[in-house]
Amino acid sequence: MSSGAKPVHARQTLFPVVDGCLTVGGVKLDRLAQRVGSTPFYAYDRVVLSARVAQLRAALPDALRLHYSMKANPMPALVQHMANLVDGIDVASGGELRVALDTGMAPEHISLAGPGKSEAEMAQAVAAGAYVHAESEREVRVLARLGERLGITPQLMLRINPEFELKSSGMRMGGGAKQFGIDAEDAPRVMALAAGLGLDVQGFHIFSGSQSLKAEAIVEAQAQTFALAKRLAIEAARPLRHLNIGGGFGIPYFPGEAALDLAPIGEHLAPALEAFGREQPGASVAIELGRYLVGEAGVYVARVVDRKVSRGQVFLVTDGGLHHHLAASGNFGQVIRKNYPVAIGNRMDAGELEPVSVVGPLCTPLDLLAERMELAHAEPGDLVVVFQSGAYGRSASPGGFLSHPDVVEVLV
Ligand SMILES: *Cc1c(COP(=O)(O)O)cnc(C)c1O
């Protein structure tokens, strides 16, 4: 950031403005609110979702398989839309597994990962023919037992906790001591255990972090991931058939952040994939992305209920808040609260802006959607839009807190 320049949000360009009104899926927001029937709501744009996948495929090598990590947004209609665009779906619970199977995605392209998988969840996956990414010795033993009981050979991969992590990522989920995966140095022992139990370890899942906007950091983590996979493959009983190299692609949420540059990632991945293919002929390589695929394609829309002035400061009180959108309130793992990009969706052409805070109806100062942002003048009835809301929205928020109505989701 140059000295003195105030950091600003990246410009929102995915949702065209018509007659001063934002459109989602080609529908003006006021009309969309009528069509939904109530506020607040989340709206996801199919065209934006499809365009994002196309853009990603153009930048990455053809041989790389693209998986949707559905915990980012498990809305069934959206998962169905994504299922038609991607090569696989990564799920993190038995409930997500059911939604993924409902899309018609072939079970061999669905994988279940996550710590503490219950026996019932693993049995669901084995019965379906989906992959289970075992994250502990216990899970390997349970899978062997389930395989015998059900008379089905479990489709097994090992989730590895690498000794490195994706630098500058939003959430650290690899490296050091973790509840995720099997420590890389323990993997040979767990592979031997699996072989002894008659299980076939088909590959590895190496996830090193999330929400990175730095291409160099992602390139470095991917190089370390291939190197680790090659080392582990030497210890494996059979040649690798699958490798999941994680994801970690971020989207810009806050002032001063810019979109991830895909070009260097694609340029490094192409030779890395070729080299890996020579060493492990026939092995498939997948990348798993959640927020990068869906985060920018969604908005959260709440209606202004009240406009108050308190000691000179304007507060727009809306019918939506942290109970629907914890992340935008700054309480989903952020260290310092920063504003998501926010606008008054039916007053996009307003010339003059004013500093306002946008709050929700909950009795807690944490219920904040925008703190002293420059927004168009708004009155009760106007529609506040929170951008970058397609991932970790409704399903990642405490919907029961204060017993307000649930939020509606639509795919437009
Ligand atoms: C949550 C998660 C993802 C998706 O992360 P995003 O930041 O949404 O892309 C991918 N892989 C694993 C193992 C995860 O737990």
Side-chain angles (χ1 to χ4, degrees):
M1 211 37 56
S2 62
S3 62
K6 202 171 166 216
V8 293
H9 283 110
R11 237 165 65 78
Q12 293 295 327
T13 56
L14 296 173
F15 304 99
V17 172
V18 176
D19 303 331
C21 196
L22 199 77
T23 61
V24 178
V27 184
K28 284 163 73 177
L29 212 56
D30 45 6
R31 179 75 176 272
L32 183 59
Q34 290 170 340
R35 169 176 145 176
V36 172
S38 61
T39 52
F41 60 90
Y42 280 97
Y44 314 118
D45 189 319
R46 300 168 193 276
V47 172
V48 175
L49 290 166
S50 300
R52 172 54 67 110
V53 173
Q55 178 199 12
L56 195 62
R57 291 223 193 251
L60 300 181
D62 290 342
L64 186 69
R65 298 182 66 84
L66 176 61
H67 286 196
Y68 174 48
S69 208
M70 75 168 268
K71 81 172 191 284
N73 190 327
M75 181 208 190
L78 178 141
V79 179
Q80 179 73 65
H81 183 81
M82 297 306 292
N84 296 331
L85 302 172
V86 299
D87 307 311
I89 302 179
D90 292 350
V91 304
S93 70
E96 288 191 355
L97 175 62
R98 281 192 290 268
V99 173
L101 288 166
D102 279 350
T103 66
M105 175 64 75
E108 64 267 28
H109 300 312
I110 298 175
S111 59
L112 170 66
K117 289 186 270 301
S118 72
E119 199 158 327
E121 283 175 312
M122 287 189 270
Q124 271 177 264
V126 172
Y131 277 82
V132 176
H133 293 181
E135 313 220 359
S136 70
E137 214 177 292
R138 167 198 159 258
E139 291 190 354
V140 170
R141 290 185 194 280
V142 170
L143 279 169
R145 213 165 53 231
L146 285 171
E148 268 171 37
R149 202 182 82 205
L150 300 172
I152 303 168
T153 307
Q155 305 265 55
L156 170 63
M157 291 188 25
L158 297 187
R159 165 104 176 255
I160 304 295
N161 176 29
E163 64 285 356
F164 56 87
E165 63 186 344
L166 173 57
K167 293 194 184 103
S168 73
S169 65
M171 260 181 226
R172 307 212 148 155
M173 293 178 70
K178 290 283 178 314
Q179 74 267 50
F180 309 109
I182 294 159
D183 291 346
E185 58 276 23
D186 286 344
R189 190 175 51 77
V190 179
M191 281 189 267
L193 168 77
L197 292 167
L199 292 172
D200 177 17
V201 174
Q202 299 188 37
F204 304 108
H205 174 196
I206 304 172
F207 179 79
S208 59
S210 200
Q211 178 52 23
S212 175
L213 290 169
K214 297 217 165 69
E216 337 58 286
I218 291 173
V219 166
E220 186 190 333
Q222 288 176 343
Q224 289 173 301
T225 298
F226 281 110
L228 173 57
K230 282 176 198 171
R231 268 191 283 134
L232 294 172
I234 294 167
E235 309 275 349
R238 292 184 51 193
L240 288 195
R241 273 135 293 152
H242 302 290
L243 175 64
N244 178 323
I245 61 168
F249 294 17
I251 60 172
Y253 289 105
F254 305 121
E257 292 184 343
L260 176 66
D261 183 6
L262 291 176
I265 299 174
E267 281 159 24
H268 283 85
L269 264 178
L273 273 182
E274 276 171 32
F276 186 75
R278 280 192 298 273
E279 295 193 21
Q280 305 291 331
S284 77
V285 179
I287 191 168
E288 49 171 358
L289 299 171
R291 80 184 76 223
Y292 191 82
L293 296 181
V294 300
E296 303 202 295
V299 292
Y300 176 63
V301 182
R303 200 178 287 281
V304 178
V305 173
D306 204 349
R307 177 188 167 93
K308 297 176 64 175
V309 180
S310 168
R311 307 214 160 104
Q313 260 195 66
V314 178
F315 288 87
L316 301 176
V317 187
T318 69
D319 55 6
L322 79 76
H323 53 315
H324 301 153
H325 203 333
L326 188 67
S329 77
N331 296 292
F332 189 56
Q334 294 97 327
V335 182
I336 302 166
R337 189 192 178 284
K338 292 179 193 153
N339 288 326
Y340 267 48
V342 168
I344 307 300
N346 57 319
R347 297 179 186 270
M348 298 299 287
D349 287 347
E352 256 178 60
L353 304 179
E354 62 172 7
V356 298
S357 290
V358 180
V359 301
L362 307 190
C363 282
T364 160
L366 299 178
D367 194 12
L368 190 58
L369 291 176
E371 186 174 25
R372 297 199 209 194
M373 265 181 99
E374 295 285 328
L375 298 180
H377 180 99
E379 292 287 338
D382 285 336
L383 296 168
V384 170
V385 174
V386 182
F387 294 98
Q388 307 296 79
S389 296
Y392 305 105
R394 175 172 178 262
S395 70
S397 301
F401 190 35
L402 272 94
S403 304
H404 283 282
D406 194 4
V407 62
V408 176
E409 294 175 288
V410 291
L411 179 65
V412 195

